[in-house]
Amino acid sequence: MKLESHLRQRRDGGRPLLAPYVTGGLGSGWLDVVRAAADAGADVIEIGIPFSDPVMDGRTVQEASRRALELGATPATIVAEAAQLDVSVPLVVMTYYNIVAHAGTERFAAQLADAGIDGAIVPDLPLDELDG
């Protein structure tokens, strides 16, 4: 697994890990922010897919999500735009289960993989929805 091996290698090298969060779709330059974070030494970059009711996030991320949604950000556009990124660190998305369920879990995972995204954080995934 690219993400896990990448992070283990860096951690085992004795250095602290940096995983900045960037709200996807927050302005026309959000991809440049991701590139800048990678160039500045991030070990992995978390791209937030905005959600209309981000109850698990603090005020800053809630406000960023609200603004990105007002600008027309959608899960599909964020994933499609992220596919344009050519950075040397893994990318993961953070989103809410409603978005994953709406797209269909397998379809959502395939879209992420096709876009070159290495993982997903879904903090509100109900345990009874997990396979196996």
Side-chain angles (χ1 to χ4, degrees):
M1 169 185 262
K2 177 183 171 187
L3 175 62
E4 183 177 356
S5 62
H6 174 82
L7 293 176
R8 283 186 188 276
Q9 178 184 23
R10 292 196 173 198
R11 183 199 63 197
D12 293 346
R15 59 181 289 243
L17 300 177
L18 176 63
Y21 178 94
V22 177
T23 300
L26 185 56
S28 60
W30 79 269
L31 294 172
D32 293 330
V33 174
V34 172
R35 290 182 190 101
D39 291 344
D43 296 292
V44 61
I45 299 170
E46 183 179 339
I47 298 170
I49 296 179
F51 182 60
S52 59
D53 190 22
V55 296
M56 298 183 80
D57 294 312
R59 285 191 300 189
T60 301
V61 174
Q62 289 175 352
E63 179 63 17
S65 291
R66 183 189 66 74
R67 290 181 186 184
L69 291 170
E70 285 178 356
L71 291 169
T74 67
T77 59
I78 290 167
V79 172
E81 290 173 2
Q84 301 170 28
L85 290 165
D86 183 20
V87 293
S88 61
V89 299
L91 301 172
V92 298
V93 298
M94 197 296 285
T95 192
Y96 286 83
Y97 184 62
N98 305 45
I99 290 172
V100 177
H102 181 73
T105 55
E106 289 182 22
R107 181 172 161 243
F108 187 77
Q111 290 170 340
L112 295 181
D114 290 346
I117 295 172
D118 301 290
I121 301 166
V122 186
D124 66 334
L125 174 67
L127 292 177
D128 60 348
E129 295 289 331
L130 290 172
D131 291 332

